[in-house]
Amino acid sequence: FRGKELMRRGEFEEARIFFIKASEIERLPESLAYSAVASYKIGDLKSAEYYIREADRFANKGSVELRIDGYKALIFLMGDNKAEGFLALQEYFEFYKNLKPLMNIWEVEAMIKKRRVDIPSLEILLDEQIDKCEDEVEQFQKTGTGFRQGG
């Protein structure tokens, strides 16, 4: 997946172009979510909000839901829609805590409880958690090992 590799290398503008073109060919929640993330990473919150809402509209529960909820929280918390941002962050937390989460999930919960968010720290936490989950799902799809849903 070329777009994801561009994202990992920090080439967000190129990744954004790639994902937007992919989403124009087929409206999949994955390409829409990554269009939103790339837009967020380059500071285009208006486009980020558009693409994250579109991704959410087309999404069904799965690993991309983490990225949608996490970035929906970041996008709205950065903008004027704090209530929707905290709601998305709560949805993210509830979904992720059932997937054998990294221990730093409790830092996210603390931000929710205090209703105070350090956006740069939250972005780092969410990227780490989401990337690890998506990597494990991809490993499971390729090899049959790695992904274990909590319970």
Side-chain angles (χ1 to χ4, degrees):
F1 202 28
R2 185 172 190 281
K4 286 176 86 172
E5 181 56 35
L6 291 168
M7 293 287 287
R8 285 192 172 108
R9 292 195 318 239
E11 298 175 30
F12 302 120
E13 186 62 53
E14 282 186 56
R16 178 181 139 148
I17 292 166
F18 179 86
F19 287 118
I20 288 171
K21 285 180 182 176
S23 71
E24 289 170 353
I25 293 168
E26 188 174 1
R27 301 297 273 184
L28 296 174
E30 293 83 0
S31 59
L32 291 162
Y34 274 101
S35 296
V37 172
S39 295
Y40 172 87
K41 296 281 189 184
I42 64 169
D44 184 352
L45 291 181
K46 185 176 179 178
S47 292
E49 183 174 341
Y50 169 77
Y51 287 114
I52 207 68
R53 286 191 188 279
E54 285 293 293
D56 198 29
R57 202 164 64 94
F58 287 94
N60 52 7
K61 290 292 180 192
S63 63
V64 74
E65 190 70 21
L66 278 178
R67 187 165 295 280
I68 292 168
D69 287 343
Y71 270 85
K72 189 176 1 169
L74 285 169
I75 291 162
F76 293 144
L77 289 167
M78 282 284 291
D80 295 330
N81 202 339
K82 307 280 190 250
E84 194 169 354
F86 275 108
L87 178 62
L89 191 57
Q90 183 68 45
E91 290 171 0
Y92 171 89
F93 173 78
E94 294 299 328
F95 187 46
Y96 183 63
K97 76 178 183 178
N98 293 310
L99 297 175
K100 299 283 186 195
L102 297 173
M103 291 304 294
N104 61 14
I105 186 62
W106 308 114
E107 294 177 51
V108 174
E109 183 184 40
M111 290 183 197
I112 294 168
K113 285 182 177 179
K114 293 177 184 175
R115 305 286 289 177
R116 220 173 30 243
V117 174
D118 173 1
I119 295 290
S121 295
L122 180 60
E123 183 177 347
I124 290 167
L125 289 169
L126 296 183
D127 281 343
E128 181 182 9
Q129 293 166 1
I130 294 165
D131 288 345
K132 178 149 179 40
C133 183
E134 287 179 351
D135 289 348
E136 286 185 358
V137 169
E138 286 176 17
Q139 177 184 336
F140 180 76
Q141 290 170 338
K142 289 178 185 173
T143 68
T145 63
F147 178 71
R148 295 180 303 133
Q149 188 170 357

